[in-house]
Structure formats: structure tokens, C-alpha cells
């Protein structure tokens, strides 16, 4: 089976390709001709992208870091925050805050040839560290400690992170669904 993945993120595409290959699913990356809608939920972002998709069956994905003590910030604008702020900025927002729990959430959407849209979700929860630890292209990996761990994502190997990631959970749920069709 071939799916058209609407994304500008090459790294996300490679991860999805790797996770879905075991289900016999091939992906073709399509660069969207539209801007991603700004919405409060990943579900709304994904549904909007899929409604605009011209090639079917199509998938889209949105993920973000949710910090309840910051009323869900950065949420659906995690990518923008990554590009414009630093870990130090986010840590300053949490200074003096006892509640440091956080979750990475991923929503993958599938728009079938019939036009029907299905959503698949993944989540990995943990807490925000007091200071940056480790090194990563994505600074939020240097401050996120998943449940059951003492290390940040940036201190873990790529394989360790992928094994528990929100992306693995959401793309695996999609693969499981399609394997039963």
C-alpha cells in the first residue's frame, strides 16, 4: 500500500517511513501547497491538512510538547517555539513551578480514498528537567525526562527514544489499523 504523507519535515518523514515499512506501507512525501493552520489542537491541524490533500490516501501528522503548568504551551506551536526561543526561555517560564509534568503528543491522520478521516494518537509523558542535559538538534529533548527515566531524551540513544516516542505510538496505531483492512 502507498500513502501520500503531507509534510515539510524530512526527519518526520524518515521516521514514519521506518515505522510503517514493517506493515508493508510505502510513503511518498508531498510538500503541502498550503500553510499549516494554527489551531489549539493537533487534531484540528491534522484534519485541516487532510481536507486540503489532493492525493489520496493521505496522511498528516502534528505533534507537540504539552506542559500543563503553562496551560498546554507550547502545544501545536512547538516547532515555532523551537525555532524562535531556547530551552533557557522555557525553563525560565517554569522557575519556581513545582508541577513540571509534560507530555509529547502526536496525532496522525489518515484520509482514505472514500474521504473518511481517521485519527491515531500517541503520547509519552514525563517531566521537565531543572536544567538542560545532553545534546540534541532539538533543544526540548535536552529538558524532557520521560516517565521511568532519569535521563533526558538528549541523553538517550536515538533507538531508546524512538522505542517509547509519541511518533512510534501514533504511526504504529495507523499501521495496525491498515494491516487489518
Amino acid at each position: 500500500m502507498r500513502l501520500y504523507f503531507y509534510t515539510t519535515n524530512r526527519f518526520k518523514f524518515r521516521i514514519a517511513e521506518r515505522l510503517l515499512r514493517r506493515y508493508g506501507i510505502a510513503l511518498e512525501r508531498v510538500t503541502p501547497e498550503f500553510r499549516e493552520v494554527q489551531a489549539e489542537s493537533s487534531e484540528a491541524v491534522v484534519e485541516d491538512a487532510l481536507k486540503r490533500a489532493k492525493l489520496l490516501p493521505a496522511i498528516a501528522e502534528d505533534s507537540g510538547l504539552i506542559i500543563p503548568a503553562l496551560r498546554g504551551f507550547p502545544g501545536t506551536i512547538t516547532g515555532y517555539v523551537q525555532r524562535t526561543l531556547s530551552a533557557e526561555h522555557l525553563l525560565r517560564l517554569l522557575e519556581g513551578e513545582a508541577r513540571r509534568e509534560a507530555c509529547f503528543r502526536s496525532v496522525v491522520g489518515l484520509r482514505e480514498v472514500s474521504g473518511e478521516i481517521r485519527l491515531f494518537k500517541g503520547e509519552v509523558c514525563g517531566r521537565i528537567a531543572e536544567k538542560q542535559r545532553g545534546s540534541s538538534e532539538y533543544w526540548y529533548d535536552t529538558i524532557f525526562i520521560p516517565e521511568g527515566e532519569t535521563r533526558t531524551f538528549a541523553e538517550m540513544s536515538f533507538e531508546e527514544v524512538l522505542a517509547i516516542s509519541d511518533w512510534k505510538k501514533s504511526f504504529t496505531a495507523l499501521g495496525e489499523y491498515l494491516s487489518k483492512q
Side-chain angles (χ1 to χ4, degrees), residues 46-53 56 58-60 109-111 117:
V46 168
E47 286 176 359
D48 181 75
L50 290 174
K51 287 175 184 172
R52 297 191 213 188
L56 301 179
I59 64 171
L110 166 69
R111 182 172 170 206
I117 294 176

Side-chain angles (χ1 to χ4, degrees), residues 8-173:
T8 58
N9 187 324
R10 286 185 173 94
F11 178 70
K12 186 185 297 187
F13 177 80
R14 287 194 307 271
I15 296 297
E17 209 173 30
R18 179 176 173 174
L19 293 170
L20 293 173
R21 187 177 304 128
R22 69 181 240 198
Y23 297 99
I25 299 167
L27 296 180
E28 184 172 325
R29 190 168 71 88
V30 179
T31 301
E33 297 174 358
F34 49 84
R35 292 187 66 154
E36 185 177 275
V37 67
Q38 295 302 305
E40 288 191 30
S41 75
S42 290
E43 291 85 352
V45 172
V46 168
E47 286 176 359
D48 181 75
L50 290 174
K51 287 175 184 172
R52 297 191 213 188
K54 294 179 181 168
L55 300 171
L56 301 179
I59 64 171
E61 191 275 350
D62 188 70
S63 52
L65 177 62
I66 313 297
I67 304 173
L70 300 178
R71 297 183 179 178
F73 181 80
T76 60
I77 62 166
T78 298
Y80 174 76
V81 170
Q82 163 72 30
R83 291 186 303 275
T84 58
L85 298 178
S86 67
E88 291 83 16
H89 289 114
L90 193 73
L91 290 173
R92 265 188 251 138
L93 291 173
L94 287 169
E95 276 181 10
E97 179 62 57
R99 295 181 1 209
R100 298 183 78 83
E101 64 270 5
C103 295
F104 276 108
R105 288 194 188 130
S106 166
V107 176
V108 172
L110 166 69
R111 182 172 170 206
E112 301 187 64
V113 174
S114 67
E116 184 175 356
I117 294 176
R118 297 182 183 278
L119 300 177
F120 306 89
K121 301 174 185 179
E123 182 175 85
V124 58
C125 293
R127 67 187 187 286
I128 301 297
E130 296 287 335
K131 62 181 183 176
Q132 282 188 278
R133 297 193 337 237
S135 153
S136 173
E137 178 180 346
Y138 301 103
W139 61 252
Y140 44 79
D141 285 349
T142 68
I143 61 172
F144 182 78
I145 303 169
E147 284 177 5
E149 265 296 334
T150 57
R151 299 173 295 166
T152 65
F153 268 176
E155 295 172 301
M156 298 167 68
S157 74
F158 173 77
E159 293 301 326
E160 288 175 306
V161 173
L162 185 59
I164 62 172
S165 75
D166 52 328
W167 282 354
K168 179 178 183 189
K169 293 172 185 176
S170 59
F171 282 110
T172 297

